[in-house]
Amino acid sequence: MVIDAVVPARNEEPTVGGVVEACRHCAYVRRVVVVDDGSTDGTGDAASAAGAAVVRRDGEGGSKAHAMEAGVDATDADAILFVDADCLGLTASHLDDICRPFVDGRAVMSLGWFDYGLWNPLVLRFAPTTGERIIPRWVWDAVPPAKRDGYTIEVRINEVIAEARLPTTARVMPGVTHRTKRDKLGRRKGVRETWRMFWKLAGIPLRGAVRWRTYWFYLRGLTVER
Ligand SMILES: Nc1nc2c(ncn2[C@@H]2O[C@H](COP(=O)(O)OP(=O)(O)OP(=O)(O)O)[C@@H](O)[C@H]2O)c(=O)[nH]1
Ligand SMILES: [Mg+2]
């Protein structure tokens, strides 16, 4: 089975090189594709210098989901390891640990969570919005194009997995965090953008756009790994 890494990146010059390195050294990854849409910094160059194939999407306005879609379209891999470009402390060994349950057939979706210390036992049971996850290509294809929207894409991937009652594994990536929107945009704009994202996500179950039972099915199929 061929696995490629897809990394959506908008203005992530400080971190994208390290993330590409981690992906390239992951034992299960063939190729790394970074999708840079509309960055105004050196994201694309930093990604190429680190050994990624870079797909540029210009002039369409950014969307995390559309960037992921462009990345999937650029590969013929059987499975995709998605990794956010703003991770700090990420190593190939974290990514090996995410891929292993998938490759061994214990999970159809396998996730890594940031390290929230004492909160980890709780966080591991949230409906996952983490960007670090591996899924087979067909799961991506099963998300209807109209639902491939910005930061809500992870919820839609979860929906495909949970509604088909498929097994997921989740684990903490020890020591891994990310540059938050506050770090990237400054406090005022960062907090505003974080709330905007949060409301979009919270709005999905509140509007009934995803059934609550989906979360129940997700938890039933979930194995937390150490
Ligand atoms: N190509 C591309 N990548 C994007 C876009 N929006 C977000 N991303 C990437 O998707 C990943 C996650 O986005 P973030 O903005 O960090 O979202 P987050 O980590 O969920 O939210 P925070 O907790 O606020 O950091 C990062 O690698 C971003 O660069 C976009 O419009 N285009
Ligand atoms: Mg982030």
Side-chain angles (χ1 to χ4, degrees):
M1 174 174 11
V2 175
I3 299 171
D4 281 343
V6 168
V7 181
R10 187 180 50 191
N11 292 332
E12 306 289 9
E13 184 182 0
T15 49
V16 71
V19 168
V20 169
E21 282 287 324
C23 293
R24 281 187 49 223
H25 290 102
C26 171
Y28 302 99
V29 166
R30 176 186 63 172
R31 236 163 44 101
V32 187
V33 178
V34 170
V35 185
D36 168 13
D37 84 351
S39 293
T40 51
D41 64 0
T43 294
D45 291 341
S48 309
V54 177
V55 174
R56 281 209 174 72
R57 295 177 67 247
D58 283 322
E60 296 172 49
S63 159
K64 183 181 183 191
H66 291 159
M68 288 161 70
E69 182 172 55
V72 175
D73 288 349
T75 96
D76 60 357
D78 308 302
I80 316 291
L81 173 66
F82 291 107
V83 184
D84 284 352
D86 59 348
C87 293
L88 295 169
L90 183 75
T91 65
S93 143
H94 292 118
L95 299 175
D96 289 346
D97 288 344
I98 294 175
C99 292
R100 201 170 298 111
F102 176 85
V103 173
D104 291 350
R106 278 181 284 126
V108 175
M109 175 165 77
S110 177
L111 311 162
W113 278 100
F114 292 147
D115 189 346
Y116 293 100
L118 289 176
W119 294 101
N120 286 340
L122 184 65
V123 167
L124 278 161
R125 287 157 183 90
F126 285 175
T129 53
T130 178
E132 287 63 58
R133 61 176 74 203
I134 184 167
I135 53 171
R137 187 180 196 94
W138 74 260
V139 168
W140 174 269
D141 290 339
V143 177
K147 291 185 176 179
R148 295 176 190 169
D149 177 30
Y151 288 109
T152 63
I153 185 65
E154 274 89 14
V155 177
R156 298 309 187 173
I157 294 172
N158 300 343
E159 186 180 25
V160 172
I161 293 285
E163 288 295 331
R165 321 280 197 273
L166 297 171
T168 297
T169 53
R171 58 163 54 242
V172 170
M173 303 179 285
V176 179
T177 56
H178 66 159
R179 288 180 73 225
T180 64
K181 294 201 199 321
R182 269 103 53 218
D183 300 328
K184 294 180 218 172
L185 303 170
R187 221 176 99 189
R188 182 188 288 257
K189 198 160 177 227
V191 168
R192 200 173 61 220
E193 290 301 316
T194 299
W195 274 102
R196 187 173 298 186
M197 178 177 75
F198 176 76
W199 279 117
K200 269 209 108 174
L201 284 168
I204 294 182
L206 295 177
R207 280 185 285 116
V210 170
R211 284 171 286 192
W212 289 98
R213 68 170 207 183
T214 303
Y215 179 49
W216 167 245
F217 291 140
Y218 168 74
L219 285 180
R220 281 210 321 204
L222 175 66
T223 305
V224 172
E225 299 211 324
R226 281 165 204 280

